Amino acid sequence: MPKAYGRLGWLWLTALVFVLDQATKWFFESELNLYQQIVVIPDYFSWTLAYNTGAAFSFLADSSGWQRWLFALIALVVSGVLVVWLKRLKPEETWLAVALALVLGGALGNLYDRVVLGHVVDFILVHWQNRWYFPAFNLADSAITVGAVMLALDMFKTKKSGEPAHD
């Protein structure tokens, strides 16, 4: 790909995340009833079907509906920034390109749900016995998390000049 396109070649990963996210959401929506659980690993992991009208950890989920469009707008702006960032990356910035592509794919997967369905479809439930439950999530959330961790780790890598990063 010409240098003018930066690392936009990694948009294939964004598309893959989006397609896998939507396919898994479609599968679980067609196979499970709302809040139904299928235990995969007793006391630790289940499949479930849940809808989230809020943001991460159901933030603002109880609001009257305006949050749907606020979160959609935020996702659109962030997605635009990520595409521009990918375009401006240098050829050697592969780690950063992968991180941005993952975050972008996840953001677009959840954006699609929010705009088309009015809620984000979640289906992964991590828990400990019947005492502690992590909020349900999906592949898009997982891609965003992995990408964000990669971005954070990138900040601690040594600078390109060989100088160590500041503490």
Side-chain angles (χ1 to χ4, degrees):
M1 187 169 273
K3 191 175 179 179
Y5 293 106
R7 299 308 303 241
L8 289 177
W10 281 97
L11 288 176
W12 70 265
L13 181 57
T14 296
L16 179 64
V17 167
F18 179 83
V19 168
L20 289 175
D21 175 64
Q22 290 302 306
T24 53
K25 288 172 179 176
W26 175 85
F27 174 79
F28 284 102
E29 269 201 305
S30 66
E31 295 297 317
L32 296 177
N33 295 317
L34 193 60
Y35 304 121
Q36 177 186 354
Q37 276 190 45
I38 297 175
V39 175
V40 178
I41 302 173
D43 294 331
Y44 297 105
F45 179 77
S46 300
W47 299 123
T48 192
L49 179 63
Y51 298 146
N52 182 1
T53 56
F57 304 106
S58 297
F59 176 67
L60 294 177
D62 293 335
S63 296
S64 62
W66 59 267
Q67 75 278 15
R68 170 185 182 185
W69 302 110
L70 172 66
F71 296 138
L73 178 63
I74 291 169
L76 274 173
V77 170
V78 168
S79 296
V81 168
L82 294 176
V83 169
V84 170
W85 194 353
L86 269 169
K87 186 180 181 313
R88 292 181 178 177
L89 288 179
K90 296 180 178 101
E92 65 273 8
E93 294 180 297
T94 301
W95 177 273
L96 197 51
V98 170
L100 296 174
L102 288 170
V103 173
L104 180 59
L108 293 174
N110 284 341
L111 173 63
Y112 177 87
D113 285 11
R114 199 171 302 287
V115 171
V116 174
L117 305 174
H119 55 261
V120 174
V121 177
D122 291 322
F123 58 88
I124 301 169
L125 185 62
V126 176
H127 54 91
W128 184 68
Q129 298 178 348
N130 285 325
R131 299 177 190 186
W132 176 83
Y133 287 86
F134 190 80
F137 58 99
N138 57 45
L139 287 186
D141 299 330
S142 300
I144 291 168
T145 301
V146 169
V149 168
M150 289 177 71
L151 286 169
L153 290 173
D154 185 70
M155 291 188 323
F156 295 109
K157 287 182 2 184
T158 57
K159 290 185 179 177
K160 306 298 183 246
S161 66
E163 222 177 278
H166 296 286
D167 293 78

